[in-house]
Amino acid sequence: MSYHETTQNVYKEAALTPDIGLCCTTNPIWELPGLKIPKIMQEMNYGCGSTVHPRDLANNPKMLYVGVGGGMELLQFAYFNRQKGGVVGIDVVDEMLEASRKNFKEAEAQNPWFKSEFVDLKKGDALNLPVEDNSIDVAAQNCLFNIFKTDDLKKAISEMYRVLKPHGRLVMSDPTCEQPMNDTLRNDDRLRALCLSGSLPIKEYVKMLTDAGFGTIEIRARKPYRILDPKHYPTDELIYIESIEVAAIKDPMPEDGPCIFTGKAAIYYGEDDYFDDNKGHVLLQNQPLAVCDKTAGALAALHRDDIFISPSTYHYDGGGCC
């Protein structure tokens, strides 16, 4: 049995019998005016974070969500695009698609504004999306890409890049791990399906995105997720897994490399009102400016005694140098 088949079986079971502990997100459920999320959707929230960010969702964007779960984030996306087929949901597991359709009927009963036709559910594979080129404003996946092995992950990312419009964004939440994992963990198909043993270090994860052509990367959150300990898993050391929330934007690739925001800021505290590096970055006196890692490095290389560069917080919230 391939790891794809194992994964499909895990989520077939989770569709037929909701498994509250399958994934664990510490994100609170969105409290938006007029939005009620059915309990069954919350129980089937098989993600490790959130991909729903209102600043991504202005002006009725066309949205794609891959790996539908119980439909909760599809419902949240539909809140921002109340048009027929405004949100496309894709899953390879028939039982999960059917569970989502059933859950949308419950959502209709609790939300007078919502209609199931707002979400177009399709059977499809993340490695071969049934979606036209350059047709999507915002694409999302939650705790799916970490399941894929390297070649499949590259293909899944390239598929998302293909379907996005120029300047469209891919919003993701996935487990990551900075520690090495042994081959036993890596090759355990069920642990991979459970979003535990496929986790990559953040730098490798980001490189996969920039290698696909995404010119801007935003790391928006980094949170504790799971522990793999020797008592319960085939490992000699305790392994700490985090989840991250990332947006990869289909901007043109800058000549000097991608802009990767990891939550750094620059503060100028010199005698003048501002500092201008003549490369498009103006620092007002004692006012923090969010900077990408590339700009942070360039400013640090000036070796000035009146510019402070903060460490990465891995919580970037918009604005800044690019």
Side-chain angles (χ1 to χ4, degrees):
M1 181 182 296
S2 70
Y3 84 94
H4 291 285
E5 292 172 315
T6 299
T7 300
Q8 290 177 30
N9 287 337
V10 166
Y11 289 95
K12 176 182 177 179
E13 293 171 9
L16 296 173
T17 305
D19 185 350
I20 297 174
L22 183 62
C23 286
C24 178
T25 172
T26 57
N27 289 65
I29 300 300
W30 275 101
E31 297 289 346
L32 295 167
L35 173 62
K36 296 183 183 299
I37 298 176
K39 181 180 178 182
I40 184 62
M41 284 187 172
Q42 298 180 40
E43 292 175 348
M44 297 178 69
N45 178 22
Y46 303 138
C48 60
S50 178
T51 64
V52 184
H53 298 267
R55 65 184 173 92
D56 297 329
L57 304 175
N59 302 315
N60 294 318
K62 180 75 172 183
M63 289 174 271
L64 168 68
Y65 191 83
V66 182
V68 300
M72 187 181 83
E73 289 194 303
L74 288 164
L75 174 64
Q76 292 171 328
F77 280 129
Y79 180 90
F80 295 91
N81 186 331
R82 305 181 185 189
Q83 300 177 17
K84 183 177 181 179
V87 182
V88 179
I90 293 176
D91 206 298
V92 74
V93 180
D94 290 321
E95 290 80 4
M96 197 64 80
L97 290 167
E98 185 57 35
S100 290
R101 290 189 181 95
K102 182 178 179 181
N103 293 347
F104 286 146
K105 294 300 182 182
E106 181 67 23
E108 281 185 336
Q110 296 186 29
N111 294 274
W113 59 268
F114 178 68
K115 298 179 181 179
S116 292
E117 67 180 20
F118 293 166
V119 182
D120 182 12
L121 289 174
K122 297 181 178 182
K123 184 172 182 177
D125 191 332
L127 307 183
N128 187 23
L129 294 171
V131 180
E132 294 181 0
D133 295 0
N134 305 307
S135 62
I136 299 295
D137 294 295
V138 179
Q141 65 84 20
N142 195 334
C143 216
L144 170 65
F145 279 7
N146 72 99
I147 294 173
F148 291 130
K149 295 182 179 180
T150 301
D151 288 345
D152 287 340
L153 177 56
K154 290 179 180 179
K155 178 61 175 173
I157 293 172
S158 69
E159 276 293 275
M160 289 290 210
Y161 187 89
R162 175 183 66 80
V163 304
L164 283 170
K165 297 176 183 178
H167 306 292
R169 55 193 58 205
L170 169 59
V171 186
M172 301 166 289
S173 179
D174 276 309
T176 61
C177 182
E178 301 303 315
Q179 297 167 258
M181 287 195 191
N182 61 50
D183 289 343
T184 302
L185 285 170
R186 290 292 189 196
N187 295 325
D188 187 314
D189 291 348
R190 184 169 179 82
L191 290 181
R192 183 173 285 273
L194 294 173
C195 304
L196 294 174
S197 63
S199 306
L200 295 175
I202 291 175
K203 285 187 177 180
E204 289 185 29
Y205 185 92
V206 169
K207 188 175 187 301
M208 289 275 194
L209 297 168
T210 58
D211 284 351
F214 289 99
T216 302
I217 308 295
E218 302 176 352
I219 298 182
R220 296 176 169 180
R222 181 176 179 178
K223 304 174 183 179
Y225 180 64
R226 286 286 197 273
I227 293 291
L228 303 183
D229 68 280
K231 294 180 180 179
H232 299 93
Y233 298 93
T235 174
D236 293 330
E237 62 176 343
L238 186 146
I239 296 176
Y240 172 52
I241 301 176
E242 298 172 292
S243 69
I244 58 169
E245 295 175 12
V246 177
I249 303 172
K250 194 176 178 178
D251 289 338
M253 182 66 68
E255 291 184 4
D256 58 351
C259 294
I260 301 170
F261 289 86
T262 61
K264 291 183 177 180
I267 303 177
Y268 167 67
Y269 53 96
E271 299 298 326
D272 297 324
D273 291 337
Y274 64 90
F275 169 79
D276 187 346
D277 71 351
N278 296 313
K279 295 181 180 179
H281 312 118
V282 177
L283 305 178
L284 301 179
Q285 188 185 64
N286 221 18
Q287 297 294 314
L289 177 73
V291 292
C292 69
D293 289 7
K294 181 175 59 180
T295 298
L299 291 172
L302 298 175
H303 300 294
R304 295 181 62 103
D305 63 1
D306 55 5
I307 295 179
F308 173 81
I309 307 295
S310 73
S312 296
T313 64
Y314 296 96
H315 289 79
Y316 171 73
D317 197 31
C321 69
C322 300

